[in-house]
Amino acid sequence: MSRLPAIGSTLLVLVLLAGAGWLAWSWYDSRLPGSYNPMDYATPDYGGGPQVSHDAIAQTVDELDGPAAGKPDFKKTITARQADVRLSSGETVHALTFDGQVPGPELRVRQGDLVEVTLVNEDIEDGVSIHWHGVDVPNREDGVAGLTQNAVQVGERYTYRFRAEQVGTFWYHSHQTAADEVRRGLYGALVIEPQEHAPKGALDLTAVVHSFPGATVIGSSDGTQQRIVRRGTPVRLRLVNTDSSAQGLVLTGTPFRVAAIDGTDLAHPTPVRGEPIQLGAGARYDLAFTMPPSPVKLEVTGSKAAILLDPPTQVGGQPLAESGSTFDPAGYGLNAPRPFTASSHFDRSFEVDIGKKLGFLDGKPGSHWSVNGKLYPHTPMYMVEVGDLVKLTIRNDSGATHPMHLHGHHFLVLSRDGEGVTGSPWWVDTLNVRSHETYEVGFKATNPGIWMFHCHNLPHARDGLTMHVMYGGVTTPYRAGDAVHNHPE
Ligand code: C2O
Ligand code: CU
């Protein structure tokens, strides 16, 4: 009888010893120096393909730059600074801004333009950078502190140059302490207009949705913004979600088409009636319709932020009731040919298994997001070579939603939960993956560099959900860490 407590306490001691050993090992394992190359810690993964050749490219990210010569078609200086920004309700937000406004200035360029933007940091103490979210720029222009450049410190400047080749709705934001700086206002819209001009009198509006403590805004308005729009006007609403979690948006008063997702026009969009849109973090949807003789309203669910389009003279008309089911891009629109499907031959196939794991992240204990069982910076480095057709299988069993964003590339969604995706090809740069969902996506490796692949719930990225896609032979002279003041997330 008296031996039971003895066995119990021996077991307890053993468990404690094992725990202490694990803690010590994890601490040792997770310790990072003051500055480090994330590439030195990552777990290289070749996706079942051959080891990549490191001399095929043998270039640094600095050499993978935009056109160095040539007069820019679009040239602008953007100054990052702190400012008190007044919302439409009179509420003031002490924000971090581009050019003193929130969102930052809307950049509108034309397809083919050589874009040159110089970023100046006036007083953002943590430093700042600009990442062109969704624009597949050359690697050196990608704006990731500690990977493609150093953060721009107070008093410094940095110039980005790239050719605007894609058409569509994009956005830009700081990629230095991004979880903090984007939330506080360092973001703006970037629209690349097609070469052929929009029909005369068309209305082309961006609706950038963001949440500040206590207020959700569209643009800088936390209330209803009203506009008079003539019946028959072609309207394009460019929805951008700059928050770290999904936003519900409802467009009532007219059927509409989802004309584009993440800056890629859908081949044959079909009419949608009242279905609410779930816009994942970082995602963009362009909604198109012809103005009816009655009001049309765009609302952000659970907030006061709205856009109301009113015809000059009203002819009755009730807003179309909201239908229950949420819009689903899988299967939307008419079928169109795809360059590849889930059963195509892929040069490399990678697993991206998102879970939760106990461990240490940068010396801090806790339960963190893991990929393939590993915590950042030990997360996978997906190795590719130029020309590879690459498949990613993203499995999420973490209990949370993760909007997964790949820099420098767009990927085609192939299947969800084992079922092939049909309809208009669904290309994204940021895919909202809910818990217990599995997606297969594919992309063609055509943009050499070292690219972040991370969750766009930015606190998640900061807390471990950060990986990289790396082309063989590409190196970076930049380092992350406290000693060099580079913290991409
Ligand atoms: Cu919108 Cu890595 O970023
Ligand atoms: Cu996440």
Side-chain angles (χ1 to χ4, degrees), residues 261-262 264 266 339-340 410-413 425-429 442-443:
I261 294 179
D262 283 5
T264 306
L266 295 186
F340 47 87
H410 276 71
F411 44 75
L412 179 63
V413 184
W426 178 21
W427 289 93
V428 293
D429 52 61
F443 69 91

Side-chain angles (χ1 to χ4, degrees), residues 354 369 400-404 455-461 465:
I354 306 171
W369 308 113
T401 296
H402 301 293
M404 300 307 294
C455 179
H456 222 285
N457 183 324
L458 295 172
H460 289 182
L465 209 32

Side-chain angles (χ1 to χ4, degrees), residues 104-419:
E106 178 174 314
L107 309 182
R108 278 201 179 242
V109 306
R110 202 162 287 284
Q111 184 182 29
D113 278 1
L114 178 57
V115 177
E116 180 180 307
V117 174
T118 298
L119 166 65
V120 176
N121 182 358
E122 190 172 301
D123 62 1
I124 308 293
E125 277 150 33
D126 286 337
V128 67
S129 75
I130 296 183
H131 167 59
W132 311 98
H133 184 120
V135 187
D136 301 333
V137 296
N139 202 205
R140 183 261 172 205
E141 318 299 332
D142 200 40
V144 181
L147 185 64
T148 63
Q149 66 172 93
N150 286 318
V152 179
Q153 301 298 337
V154 174
E156 293 179 348
R157 55 178 56 219
Y158 188 90
T159 299
Y160 300 91
R161 279 168 68 95
F162 59 88
R163 178 97 39 208
E165 272 154 10
Q166 298 146 275
V167 167
T169 308
F170 305 94
W171 62 297
Y172 62 93
H173 61 78
S174 178
H175 224 306
Q176 161 76 347
T177 58
D180 181 55
E181 293 190 353
V182 176
R183 181 179 53 85
R184 293 173 67 189
L186 284 170
Y187 65 87
L190 165 62
V191 176
I192 305 177
E193 294 176 347
Q195 231 129 47
E196 62 282 4
H197 291 252
K200 248 216 161 106
L203 177 64
D204 185 321
L205 259 189
T206 56
V208 182
V209 180
H210 194 81
S211 298
F212 291 106
T216 294
V217 292
I218 297 179
S220 60
S221 164
D222 52 351
T224 300
Q225 343 175 10
Q226 196 196 10
R227 277 181 95 106
I228 304 294
V229 184
R230 276 178 194 291
R231 160 186 203 167
T233 303
V235 181
R236 190 170 185 113
L237 284 178
R238 301 174 183 269
L239 315 181
V240 184
N241 181 5
T242 59
D243 273 340
S244 270
S245 41
Q247 285 286 2
L249 287 122
V250 183
L251 182 70
T252 49
T254 179
F256 59 90
R257 289 166 205 267
V258 177
I261 294 179
D262 283 5
T264 306
D265 278 342
L266 295 186
H268 303 292
T270 44
V272 175
R273 291 165 199 282
E275 291 174 16
I277 303 274
Q278 267 297 109
L279 198 60
R284 288 90 60 216
Y285 273 41
D286 292 12
L287 310 186
F289 57 90
T290 302
M291 185 65 190
S294 46
V296 172
K297 196 172 190 186
L298 175 75
E299 290 169 277
V300 182
T301 310
S303 85
K304 296 202 180 93
I307 294 178
L308 179 63
L309 306 180
D310 266 331
T313 46
Q314 299 212 4
V315 192
Q318 278 300 312
L320 266 186
E322 176 185 334
S323 87
S325 59
T326 300
F327 172 81
D328 185 358
Y332 172 66
L334 304 181
N335 241 319
R338 298 166 147 67
F340 47 87
T341 68
S343 51
S344 297
H345 167 79
F346 290 87
D347 300 297
R348 299 174 194 277
S349 300
F350 297 109
E351 306 294 317
V352 185
D353 258 313
I354 306 171
K356 261 207 133 169
K357 193 181 164 194
L358 282 174
F360 281 71
L361 194 78
D362 222 352
K364 289 175 223 82
S367 162
H368 302 288
W369 308 113
S370 62
V371 179
N372 298 354
K374 298 247 177 10
L375 300 177
Y376 183 79
H378 305 287
T379 42
M381 178 166 60
Y382 299 111
M383 302 295 305
V384 301
E385 273 186 296
V386 174
D388 282 349
L389 185 61
V390 181
K391 181 158 88 172
L392 300 169
T393 302
I394 307 173
R395 214 170 275 116
N396 176 8
D397 283 308
S398 67
T401 296
H402 301 293
M404 300 307 294
H405 172 48
L406 174 61
H407 286 213
H409 305 75
H410 276 71
F411 44 75
L412 179 63
V413 184
L414 306 172
S415 77
R416 180 173 62 202
D417 298 334
E419 236 177 86

